[in-house]
Amino acid sequence: MNTFTFTWVVQNEEAPVLLREYLKSKQISKAALTDIKFHGGALFVNKKEVTVRTMLNSGDEVTVWFPPEKKSSSMEAENISLDIIYEDPHFIAVLKPAGMPTIPSLYQPNGSLASAILYHYQINDIPSTFHAVNRLDKDTSGIVLIAKHRFAHSLMSTQQKDKVIKREYIAFVHGELKEERGTIDQPIARNPESIIERMISEDGQRSITHYEKLDFVEHLNFSVVSLRLETGRTHQIRVHMSSIGHPLLGDDLYGGKLEMIERQALHSEKTSFIHPFTGERILLVADLPTDMQQLWKHR
C-alpha cells in the first residue's frame, strides 16, 4: 500500500486496553482516526483488520495504515537542487537559500522549497506531500525542517506548543546594542494597512525573542546577534529588533538599509528537537551563507 504505516507490540503493562485508548497513548488523535476510517486508512491487530473497539492483550501487534496523502493543487514538483542536511523515514531538513520562498505564492508560483521537496519525494517514491514544521521568509536563509507524513507533523506541532523545538538565528543589525543580552517581550499583529507588514500592537499575539550580542563591526556600524525564539510569529525577529532601534541590515520593510546586503541579514543557524519515534535529541547546524560570511569578515 502506497502509504505510511506504523507497528507497535502491546507490552504487559499496557494491557488489557481498547485499541482506541492504546492509539491515543501513541498520540494518534480522534481527527487522525476519523481520517483513517473514511479516507483509505486501516487498523490491524495481528494482521487482521479491526475497529477501534477491539480489546488488546499483551503481545498483540498493532499496525496503523495512514490514508494516502494528497498533494496540494497549488504545488507542482520542480527539479530544483536541495541542500539536505538530515533525512530519515520521518523527517527531512534542508538549507534554504535566501531568495527561495518556502511555499508557492501568487507573486512567486515557481521555484519554491515545497516544489523542490515534492520532486525529491517523486523521484524517491516517497508517498507524501509537503509538511513544513517551520517556515522561513523568502529572503531568510537556513534550516527548514519538514515532516514526511501527517503523523510526524502532528507530533512536531505538539513539540512546538510545548516549546521542545529550539531554534536559533544569527542576524546582523544596525548599530551597537547597549546590552550584551536581553529579552524582547512584545505582542505582534498584522499591520491593518498592509498585507505583508507586521507591527507591535497590544492587540497582537504575545511574542518573545531572546538575543545576545556576539560582535560589533565598528567601521560598518553593525552588530552580530544570536537570537532564540520562544514563539514563532511571522516576521518576529525583524519586527522585534526594529522595535528596539536595531533593524536588520537589508530589511527595508522594517527600517533596515540595503547598502551592505540586499536581503535581510537573517539566518536560521540551529534547530533541535526530540525525535518523536526514537527519543533522540537531534541537533541541526547550518553555517552562515557566503553573503553574510563575507560581510562579517570585512571587519
Side-chain angles (χ1 to χ4, degrees), residues 203-223:
D203 298 326
Q205 294 177 295
R206 189 180 186 191
S207 307
I208 302 172
T209 303
H210 305 283
Y211 67 85
E212 179 180 356
K213 183 172 71 175
L214 302 179
D215 194 10
F216 175 58
V217 182
E218 186 171 2
H219 77 286
L220 295 177
N221 192 32
F222 75 81
S223 297

Side-chain angles (χ1 to χ4, degrees), residues 117-164:
I117 289 290
L118 290 180
Y119 183 81
H120 176 76
Y121 289 168
Q122 182 176 293
I123 63 174
N124 289 284
D125 197 28
I126 298 171
S128 187
T129 188
F130 187 68
H131 300 286
V133 176
N134 71 296
R135 296 184 184 183
L136 296 179
D137 296 340
K138 183 185 76 170
D139 288 329
T140 298
S141 58
I143 300 168
V144 177
L145 179 62
I146 299 130
K148 286 185 172 179
H149 50 83
R150 280 168 292 194
F151 185 33
H153 190 251
S154 173
L155 295 177
M156 295 305 281
S157 294
T158 299
Q159 286 200 22
Q160 284 185 319
K161 291 175 185 175
D162 295 340
K163 299 182 180 178
V164 175

Side-chain angles (χ1 to χ4, degrees), residues 216-249:
F216 175 58
V217 182
E218 186 171 2
H219 77 286
L220 295 177
N221 192 32
F222 75 81
S223 297
V224 179
V225 186
S226 174
L227 303 117
R228 180 170 57 84
L229 301 182
E230 275 198 39
T231 54
R233 313 302 177 203
T234 299
H235 296 182
Q236 179 173 318
I237 289 172
R238 299 164 64 187
V239 172
H240 271 174
M241 295 311 295
S242 179
S243 75
I244 62 170
H246 297 281
L248 274 61
L249 271 60

Side-chain angles (χ1 to χ4, degrees), residues 58-230:
S58 177
D60 283 344
E61 182 184 86
V62 176
T63 300
V64 177
W65 284 5
F66 283 91
E69 302 208 354
K70 295 180 180 179
K71 178 175 66 69
S72 170
S73 60
S74 65
M75 297 182 187
E76 294 294 334
E78 295 180 58
N79 185 2
I80 301 169
S81 177
L82 286 171
D83 189 353
I84 299 171
I85 61 170
Y86 178 87
E87 186 170 14
D88 68 21
H90 310 288
F91 299 100
I92 181 170
V94 301
L95 300 188
K96 187 189 80 65
M100 173 185 273
T102 301
I103 59 173
S105 69
L106 184 64
Y107 305 102
Q108 194 166 346
N110 303 114
S112 71
L113 177 60
S115 294
I117 289 290
L118 290 180
Y119 183 81
H120 176 76
Y121 289 168
Q122 182 176 293
I123 63 174
N124 289 284
D125 197 28
I126 298 171
S128 187
T129 188
F130 187 68
H131 300 286
V133 176
N134 71 296
R135 296 184 184 183
L136 296 179
D137 296 340
K138 183 185 76 170
D139 288 329
T140 298
S141 58
I143 300 168
V144 177
L145 179 62
I146 299 130
K148 286 185 172 179
H149 50 83
R150 280 168 292 194
F151 185 33
H153 190 251
S154 173
L155 295 177
M156 295 305 281
S157 294
T158 299
Q159 286 200 22
Q160 284 185 319
K161 291 175 185 175
D162 295 340
K163 299 182 180 178
V164 175
I165 300 175
K166 308 295 184 185
R167 292 174 290 155
E168 294 183 25
Y169 294 74
I170 296 287
F172 298 170
V173 303
H174 286 284
E176 182 175 13
L177 293 167
K178 295 179 181 178
E179 306 292 336
E180 291 297 314
R181 57 183 53 83
T183 296
I184 305 169
D185 186 350
Q186 292 285 351
I188 293 175
R190 185 187 296 273
N191 183 339
E193 297 180 1
S194 170
I195 61 171
I196 299 173
E197 191 176 353
R198 266 55 177 181
M199 59 187 287
I200 302 295
S201 170
E202 292 182 357
D203 298 326
Q205 294 177 295
R206 189 180 186 191
S207 307
I208 302 172
T209 303
H210 305 283
Y211 67 85
E212 179 180 356
K213 183 172 71 175
L214 302 179
D215 194 10
F216 175 58
V217 182
E218 186 171 2
H219 77 286
L220 295 177
N221 192 32
F222 75 81
S223 297
V224 179
V225 186
S226 174
L227 303 117
R228 180 170 57 84
L229 301 182
E230 275 198 39

